[in-house]
C-alpha cells in the first residue's frame, strides 16, 4: 500500500492521496487493494466522513478521486462497479410514490430519477453490456413513463 500511496502522492491530486490514506488509516485495505479501490461503492460508503474536506477544501468530488484511482490502475472509469452503484441507487425506487406528493415535488423527484436512469443508459459500460442488463431497470423505466404521463409530463 505504501508504494501505491507514494505514487499517488507524486503523480495525482492531493485529495486522492488523502482519500486513499483515509482508507488505509481506517484499516479497510486488505489483501486485494486493487479490488477494493476499484469498487466505486467503497468511495460512497467510506468517504462520508471526508465529504466536507473533499467538496469544500479541495473543490473536488468522489468521482474525481475515483477517476484518478482508475487511471492509476489503468482501468476504465466507466466500469462494472460504477454501473452497479448507479443501478443500485435507482432499482428500488417506486415512481408511484411520487403521485402522492405535491405536484412540483413529485415532478422534481421524477426528473431526478429520470436523470439517474439516463446516466446509466449513457454510460460506456451499459452500451457495451446491454445484453447483461437487469430486466428490473426496464420495468422501472416503463413505470416511470406511466407516472410521468399521469403527472402530465
Amino acid at each position: 500500500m505504501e508504494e501505491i500511496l507514494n505514487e499517488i502522492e507524486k503523480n495525482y491530486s492531493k485529495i486522492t492521496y488523502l482519500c486513499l490514506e483515509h482508507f488505509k488509516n481506517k484499516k479497510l485495505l486488505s489483501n486485494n487493494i486493487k479490488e477494493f479501490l476499484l469498487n466505486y461503492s467503497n468511495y460512497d460508503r467510506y468517504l462520508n466522513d471526508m465529504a466536507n474536506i473533499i467538496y469544500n477544501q479541495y473543490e473536488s468530488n468522489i468521482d474525481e478521486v475515483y477517476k484518478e484511482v482508475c487511471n492509476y490502475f489503468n482501468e476504465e472509469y466507466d466500469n462494472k462497479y460504477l454501473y452497479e452503484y448507479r443501478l443500485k441507487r435507482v432499482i428500488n425506487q417506486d415512481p408511484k410514490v411520487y403521485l402522492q406528493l405535491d405536484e412540483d415535488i413529485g415532478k422534481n423527484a421524477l426528473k431526478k430519477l429520470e436523470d439517474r436512469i439516463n446516466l446509466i443508459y449513457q454510460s460506456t459500460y451499459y452500451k457495451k453490456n446491454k445484453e447483461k442488463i437487469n430486466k428490473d431497470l426496464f420495468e422501472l423505466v416503463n413505470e416511470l413513463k406511466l407516472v410521468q404521463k399521469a403527472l402530465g409530463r
Side-chain angles (χ1 to χ4, degrees), residues 2-122:
E2 291 305 320
E3 183 180 318
I4 293 171
L5 277 174
N6 289 336
E7 177 89 17
I8 294 289
E9 185 176 30
K10 288 178 192 173
N11 299 310
Y12 295 90
S13 69
K14 176 81 171 175
I15 191 60
T16 298
Y17 171 76
L18 291 174
C19 290
L20 296 189
E21 188 174 55
H22 186 68
F23 286 149
K24 177 186 166 212
N25 292 340
K26 282 187 154 190
K27 298 180 179 19
L28 296 169
L29 303 172
S30 58
N31 295 337
N32 198 340
I33 294 169
K34 181 178 178 181
E35 181 77 20
F36 179 89
L37 293 176
L38 290 177
N39 188 336
Y40 187 88
S41 62
N42 290 330
Y43 292 79
D44 185 54
R45 184 178 307 131
Y46 298 117
L47 291 179
N48 282 335
D49 54 347
M50 293 262 310
N52 196 32
I53 294 170
I54 293 170
Y55 301 129
N56 296 334
Q57 188 175 351
Y58 288 93
E59 296 179 7
S60 186
N61 59 49
I62 290 173
D63 281 346
E64 289 179 26
V65 172
Y66 186 68
K67 284 177 185 176
E68 287 194 350
V69 170
C70 287
N71 187 14
Y72 171 80
F73 286 111
N74 200 26
E75 295 286 337
E76 176 67 37
Y77 159 74
D78 191 345
N79 59 38
K80 173 185 164 189
Y81 296 110
L82 183 60
Y83 167 77
E84 288 174 349
Y85 171 80
R86 289 174 174 166
L87 182 64
K88 193 161 104 176
R89 290 188 55 166
V90 300
I91 204 66
N92 292 323
Q93 298 288 319
D94 183 3
K96 291 183 295 238
V97 170
Y98 303 138
L99 290 170
Q100 301 167 7
L101 301 174
D102 173 76
E103 185 177 341
D104 288 338
I105 294 171
K107 284 182 179 180
N108 287 336
L110 282 172
K111 175 69 173 130
K112 193 176 210 176
L113 177 58
E114 183 180 34
D115 290 346
R116 286 181 175 169
I117 291 170
N118 286 334
L119 191 60
I120 290 171
Y121 284 152
Q122 294 167 3

Side-chain angles (χ1 to χ4, degrees), residues 126-139:
Y126 171 82
K127 290 175 183 176
K128 289 180 181 177
N129 297 283
K130 284 182 184 180
E131 69 281 352
K132 297 178 188 176
I133 300 305
N134 188 333
K135 70 174 180 133
D136 292 338
L137 183 60
F138 297 115
E139 292 171 10

